[in-house]
Coordinates of all heavy atoms in Angstrom, one line a residue:
F15 N 84.1 98.4 152.1 CA 82.9 98.4 152.9 C 82.2 99.7 153.0 O 81.0 99.8 153.3 CB 83.2 97.8 154.3 CG 83.7 96.5 154.3 CD1 85.1 96.2 154.4 CD2 82.9 95.4 154.2 CE1 85.6 94.9 154.4 CE2 83.4 94.1 154.1 CZ 84.8 93.9 154.2
Q22 N 81.1 115.5 144.7 CA 82.2 115.3 143.8 C 81.9 115.4 142.3 O 82.7 115.1 141.5 CB 82.8 113.9 144.0 CG 83.4 113.7 145.4 CD 84.5 114.6 145.7 OE1 85.5 114.7 145.0 NE2 84.4 115.4 146.8
E28 N 78.9 103.3 137.9 CA 79.1 101.9 137.5 C 80.2 101.1 138.2 O 80.1 99.9 138.4 CB 79.3 101.8 136.0 CG 78.0 102.2 135.2 CD 78.2 102.1 133.7 OE1 79.1 101.3 133.2 OE2 77.5 102.8 133.0
L39 N 77.3 103.9 152.1 CA 77.5 104.6 150.9 C 76.9 106.0 151.0 O 75.7 106.2 151.3 CB 76.7 103.9 149.7 CG 76.8 104.5 148.4 CD1 78.2 104.6 147.9 CD2 75.9 103.7 147.4
R57 N 74.2 94.1 150.6 CA 74.7 94.3 152.0 C 74.6 95.7 152.4 O 75.0 96.1 153.5 CB 76.1 93.8 152.1 CG 76.2 92.3 152.0 CD 77.6 91.8 152.4 NE 77.6 90.3 152.5 CZ 77.9 89.5 151.5 NH1 78.2 90.0 150.3 NH2 77.9 88.2 151.7
V61 N 72.6 104.3 153.4 CA 72.8 104.9 152.1 C 72.3 106.4 152.1 O 71.2 106.7 152.5 CB 72.0 104.1 151.0 CG1 72.2 104.8 149.6 CG2 72.5 102.7 151.0
D72 N 64.2 101.7 142.5 CA 64.0 100.3 142.3 C 65.2 99.4 142.4 O 65.2 98.3 142.9 CB 63.4 100.1 140.8 CG 62.0 100.6 140.7 OD1 61.3 100.9 141.7 OD2 61.6 100.8 139.5
C77 N 68.0 95.2 148.9 CA 68.8 95.5 150.1 C 68.0 95.2 151.3 O 67.6 96.1 152.0 CB 69.2 97.0 150.0 SG 70.2 97.4 148.6
L80 N 69.0 97.1 154.6 CA 69.0 98.6 154.6 C 68.2 99.1 155.8 O 67.1 98.7 156.1 CB 68.3 99.1 153.3 CG 68.4 100.5 153.0 CD1 69.8 100.9 152.8 CD2 67.6 100.8 151.7
I90 N 62.1 112.2 143.1 CA 61.0 111.3 143.6 C 59.8 112.2 144.0 O 59.9 113.0 144.9 CB 61.5 110.5 144.8 CG1 62.7 109.6 144.3 CG2 60.4 109.6 145.3 CD1 63.4 108.9 145.4
K100 N 59.9 97.9 149.0 CA 59.1 97.0 149.9 C 59.9 95.7 150.2 O 59.5 95.1 151.2 CB 57.8 96.8 149.3 CG 57.7 96.0 148.0 CD 56.3 95.8 147.6 CE 56.2 95.1 146.3 NZ 54.8 95.0 145.8
C102 N 62.9 95.7 151.3 CA 63.9 96.1 152.3 C 63.3 95.9 153.7 O 62.2 96.0 154.0 CB 64.3 97.5 152.1 SG 65.0 97.8 150.5

Side-chain angles (χ1 to χ4, degrees):
F15 298 99
Q22 299 298 308
E28 288 181 27
L39 179 62
R57 291 188 170 91
V61 178
D72 294 344
C77 298
L80 192 63
I90 297 168
K100 65 182 175 181
C102 298

